[in-house]
Amino acid sequence: MKKVLSMLLVGALTVSTLAGCGSKEQAPAAEAPSAAENQAEAPAETPEEAPAETPAETPETPAEGATITVAAIETAYGSQMWQDVCAAFTEQTGINVELITDKNLEDVIGPSMQAGDYPDVIHLATGREKALTETFIKDQNIVDITDVLSMTVPGESAKVGDKIAGGFTETSLTNPYGDGKTYLAPMFYSPCGLFYNAGLFEEKGWEVPSTWDEMWELGDKAAAEGIALFTYPTTGYFDAFFYALMYSVGGADFFDQATNYTEGVWDTEEAKTCFEIVTKLASYTEKTTPAQANDQDFTKNQQLILDNKALFMPNGTWIVGEMAEAPRADGFKWGMTALPAVTAGGDGYSYTWFEQAWIPGGAANQNEAKQFVAFLYSDAACEIFAKAGAIQPVLNIAEKLEGDNQMFYSIYDNGAKAAMGNFAAYDSAVVGVSNREVWFDPVNSLVSGNMTQQEWIDGIKSANDQMRANLIQ
């Protein structure tokens, strides 16, 4: 994230511009994201007060012949949905859209931005290798879109802020400067949690644990039948797991202190509880897991759930598509639950990945760009996105979904709380290690018995001091 914009934007590929939302040939659809691609890092969450509403209205009549440029990363969802959304926006507002989509969007839009020609709206999430979005945030070259929250959705009577689900515009992933203002619009989200074979639970008459004490009891029951309690694809999946665990143990305050490397945070009772839960869970983990916990063999660990050799694994909603062709036990049905509460009556948490859309500071048509961002939360746009599997973070979206997706995306409607955020960015070139290497990779050694809990904790404390001293401001 330290690299300047000029360094990030060299080596561009040929621009593929889809003018007029579908008037040109559709770009080829991307393959489904791999497990490694789904493990993106993002800035740490610093909860702020909800931004005050600023009166703003969608202009009633756009400028005659107005045209905006929208640049969107092409992922497994494909590019057709963006063509369809742009066409629907033009039909509703009269504003034309020149659409650019590409799997390597940074390379495509880079040269023109170096020359001062910016897209009006960019859909590109944080956490990508080239860190283009982070660079714009760091350079404060991104437009304040707080007023969009109080705008009326084009073609509807509802305000944008009233449609977006709670919490999504109150995290550092959308409010990066801690000033109570929103700069990035929350986009397609995916709840993460513990996935399991609901059919097996029905067959055995087992209840899904609501507390960790119940989890250990179930683990003993399953072990008596030769079934492990837990597995994981790779240690990278412990990020979403650990973030949700920190929330369930100590709430947002503890999460904020931990992810900002506060001095002494890992000596607290909350930290001790987190360490003990992960260490105990390691003892209930299927013993072949560490050997397969890599980007080549991770599906073998996921297969343990489908074969009834393990009960739970941390994952995201993409798991259904990723294992769609895999064999499975008779009666298999996907189930998903939030992490258990620490105590009876406590809160269970499910971590949420989500993408972002934003307006660069150099955009020439910012008013029209804000109308487009507002339209992204319209019923029409949400329906188009959902058909491609891209789910917008709007209230009651689960009611409009079918099959497994309805179950997955209703997790927050059924009592689970959303955990959002990540460890704060630091100068990794100075520190020499990543968050994954310090917090999550050691789980393999905990499972195999090659590392003790105290050795894990000592490594975290040492790295924590270095990270705090080298935070990127």
Side-chain angles (χ1 to χ4, degrees):
M1 289 189 291
K2 293 181 63 182
K3 296 183 184 294
V4 296
L5 179 59
S6 60
M7 295 177 66
L8 288 167
L9 303 178
V10 298
L13 301 177
T14 303
V15 177
S16 62
T17 304
L18 305 176
C21 292
S23 60
K24 294 190 178 181
E25 184 173 317
Q26 175 185 350
E31 295 180 356
S34 68
E37 291 170 332
N38 278 313
Q39 302 309 304
E41 289 189 355
E45 180 180 11
T46 306
E48 296 290 337
E49 293 182 3
E53 289 194 352
T54 303
E57 293 296 334
T58 303
E60 295 181 2
T61 55
E64 185 69 26
T67 299
I68 63 172
T69 300
V70 173
I73 184 70
E74 182 186 340
T75 64
Y77 303 131
S79 62
Q80 185 62 50
M81 65 177 190
W82 282 106
Q83 296 181 56
D84 294 343
V85 165
C86 289
F89 173 72
T90 298
E91 181 179 358
Q92 179 61 52
T93 65
I95 300 173
N96 298 309
V97 180
E98 292 183 352
L99 175 66
I100 302 169
T101 64
D102 198 275
K103 300 173 188 177
N104 300 297
L105 187 66
E106 299 95 331
D107 297 327
V108 171
I109 63 178
S112 60
M113 290 199 297
Q114 279 187 299
D117 183 12
Y118 295 85
D120 296 296
V121 178
I122 298 177
H123 173 257
L124 188 71
T126 55
R128 287 175 58 81
E129 183 178 354
K130 294 181 181 179
L132 177 61
T133 300
E134 287 89 338
T135 299
F136 271 76
I137 292 171
K138 183 179 178 182
D139 292 344
Q140 298 190 35
N141 189 19
I142 193 165
V143 173
D144 175 4
I145 58 170
T146 307
D147 57 341
V148 173
L149 300 178
S150 56
M151 288 173 61
T152 301
V153 177
E156 300 180 8
S157 60
K159 303 290 186 182
V160 173
D162 292 335
K163 298 198 70 171
I164 298 176
F168 281 90
T169 57
E170 300 162 17
T171 165
S172 64
L173 299 179
T174 53
N175 302 15
Y177 305 121
D179 58 1
K181 298 179 180 179
T182 299
Y183 294 82
L184 298 96
M187 293 288 289
F188 320 133
Y189 78 108
S190 176
C192 298
L194 298 180
F195 286 74
Y196 63 96
N197 178 5
L200 177 63
F201 276 67
E202 292 173 4
E203 175 188 332
K204 298 290 186 181
W206 292 341
E207 296 289 334
V208 175
S210 60
T211 67
W212 283 105
D213 284 341
E214 293 176 0
M215 181 69 86
W216 311 137
E217 292 174 7
L218 178 60
D220 293 336
K221 275 184 188 178
E225 301 197 26
I227 304 173
L229 176 67
F230 190 72
T231 188
Y232 50 89
T234 70
T235 55
Y237 281 75
F238 270 91
D239 50 9
F241 178 96
F242 204 68
Y243 303 144
L245 180 62
M246 287 193 288
Y247 264 98
S248 65
V249 168
D253 288 343
F254 172 64
F255 179 85
D256 183 50
Q257 293 177 42
T259 53
N260 284 281
Y261 319 110
T262 302
E263 186 171 2
V265 67
W266 301 113
D267 292 315
T268 63
E269 285 300 314
E270 291 86 353
K272 180 181 177 182
T273 300
C274 288
F275 292 139
E276 289 178 346
I277 287 174
V278 174
T279 301
K280 190 166 184 176
L281 192 58
S283 70
Y284 280 94
T285 298
E286 217 286 329
K287 298 307 179 186
T288 62
T289 296
Q292 300 170 163
N294 55 68
D295 290 341
Q296 291 72 47
D297 301 319
F298 70 94
T299 56
K300 294 180 181 178
N301 286 336
Q302 295 178 168
Q303 187 67 41
L304 294 172
I305 301 297
L306 279 71
D307 291 340
N308 290 338
K309 294 180 179 178
L311 292 187
F312 294 103
M313 70 171 169
N315 222 299
T317 55
W318 57 82
I319 183 63
V320 175
E322 201 165 56
M323 301 299 286
E325 303 302 320
R328 59 204 62 208
D330 291 340
F332 182 90
K333 293 192 299 184
W334 283 112
M336 174 187 174
T337 184
L339 261 64
V342 176
T343 57
D347 293 321
Y349 276 86
S350 166
Y351 189 78
T352 295
W353 295 111
F354 67 90
E355 303 177 28
Q356 300 99 2
W358 43 281
I359 301 173
N365 305 290
Q366 294 184 12
N367 288 335
E368 290 81 4
K370 288 182 178 181
Q371 289 190 62
F372 184 82
V373 172
F375 186 74
L376 295 175
Y377 302 98
S378 67
D379 290 347
C382 289
E383 182 177 347
I384 293 169
F385 286 137
K387 286 180 180 178
I391 310 303
Q392 285 288 68
V394 300
L395 292 170
N396 302 316
I397 188 69
E399 297 175 0
K400 301 177 182 180
L401 304 178
E402 298 177 350
D404 289 330
N405 270 342
Q406 186 175 61
M407 181 263 294
F408 295 152
Y409 284 89
S410 64
I411 190 169
Y412 302 121
D413 298 330
N414 295 331
K417 290 194 172 182
M420 289 179 273
N422 206 322
F423 283 107
Y426 58 88
D427 190 337
S428 57
V430 175
V431 178
V433 292
S434 67
N435 293 117
R436 174 169 171 169
E437 290 175 288
V438 173
W439 273 269
F440 313 133
D441 283 351
V443 175
N444 278 337
S445 297
L446 291 174
V447 175
S448 64
N450 294 327
M451 177 182 286
T452 65
Q453 176 180 310
Q454 191 57 51
E455 289 172 332
W456 179 37
I457 295 172
D458 290 343
I460 288 175
K461 288 182 178 180
S462 176
N464 191 77
D465 292 338
Q466 297 180 64
M467 292 167 179
R468 181 175 63 256
N470 291 281
L471 282 170
I472 295 176
Q473 304 297 328

